[in-house]
Amino acid sequence: MTTSEADGQDLAKRLEDTERKLERAEKLFRLLSEATREVVYQCGPDGVIFYCSPSLLELLGYSADELEGRSEEILYHPDDIRKLRGAKDKSTHQFRMRRACGKYLWFEVTTGYVSTDEGLSCIQRIGQEITERKKMRKLSRKPTALPRSAAGNGILSIMKSHSRINFAESA
């Protein structure tokens, strides 16, 4: 066997090993993304979706067939598209995502970029639904009004550090 033949066999073995590792990694990714209750999808740099997890059907009402080959922009509120386009690698933002029925839900979406040695890259987005959390935060920021008679007949003190309201009758 010549040196070039040995080099060729070594290269073929390394390529085969790399392909096997890539297949295992893809299987693991699919297993994890299909078992999660989060929105998981991948798209090209142009925003065209080529993979989405089955959880999109449960969370947003879209099947993979309905989304793959279409722009990811159909999933987002029109006012959030600019922020979506500006999302950088390993960044997390809150977006309104559109359900198939037209209703919007809030999601916290993490963006990542996946590249290979060949230079191929894709955008991977993973989103967790946070609509109820946002509602609770909004409610907790609203001031609570006291009945007029309670505020007018006594002394009101608010102890912020203990989240307590004290009311004392005036003499």
Side-chain angles (χ1 to χ4, degrees):
M1 183 181 316
T2 66
T3 304
S4 62
E5 288 175 332
D7 288 345
Q9 285 181 347
D10 185 47
L11 181 61
K13 183 177 178 352
R14 283 189 284 156
L15 181 59
E16 189 177 301
D17 289 345
T18 302
E19 287 175 353
R20 223 181 347 265
K21 286 178 185 176
L22 182 59
E23 281 179 30
R24 277 195 305 255
E26 283 181 8
K27 284 180 184 177
L28 179 60
F29 170 77
R30 300 254 186 222
L31 176 69
L32 291 172
S33 68
E34 291 173 4
T36 187
R37 286 211 13 90
E38 296 175 331
V39 167
V40 178
Y41 70 90
Q42 293 179 325
C43 59
D46 58 357
V48 175
I49 297 170
F50 60 82
Y51 169 78
C52 57
S53 66
S55 59
L56 269 87
L57 182 59
E58 182 183 340
L59 293 167
L60 296 175
Y62 297 102
S63 69
D65 291 339
E66 291 176 280
L67 293 176
E68 291 172 0
R70 298 184 68 189
S71 172
E72 68 177 328
E73 291 182 5
I74 66 168
L75 292 173
Y76 294 89
H77 190 281
D79 294 344
D80 293 343
I81 299 299
R82 179 181 283 155
K83 184 167 63 168
L84 176 71
R85 288 281 155 241
K88 302 293 182 212
D89 189 21
K90 297 189 185 348
S91 65
T92 301
H93 300 278
Q94 293 180 358
F95 298 104
R96 290 163 288 184
M97 294 187 82
R98 184 181 184 276
R99 290 185 45 84
C101 66
K103 178 183 175 186
Y104 286 94
L105 299 173
W106 281 98
F107 278 79
E108 193 166 77
V109 178
T110 301
T111 297
Y113 290 89
V114 181
S115 339
T116 64
D117 293 337
E118 293 82 30
L120 302 172
S121 66
C122 72
I123 300 168
Q124 180 172 287
R125 301 203 200 270
I126 301 173
Q128 179 181 28
E129 202 256 325
I130 59 166
T131 304
E132 288 304 313
R133 184 172 69 181
K134 284 196 70 84
K135 284 180 186 176
M136 294 305 290
R137 281 196 182 140
K138 189 175 183 178
L139 284 174
S140 70
R141 290 186 188 134
K142 282 187 177 181
T144 305
L146 291 172
R148 193 168 214 186
S149 61
N153 294 334
I155 301 168
L156 178 68
S157 68
I158 299 173
M159 299 180 67
K160 190 171 184 166
S161 63
H162 299 291
S163 299
R164 227 172 36 199
I165 297 176
N166 295 324
F167 180 77
E169 289 292 328
S170 57

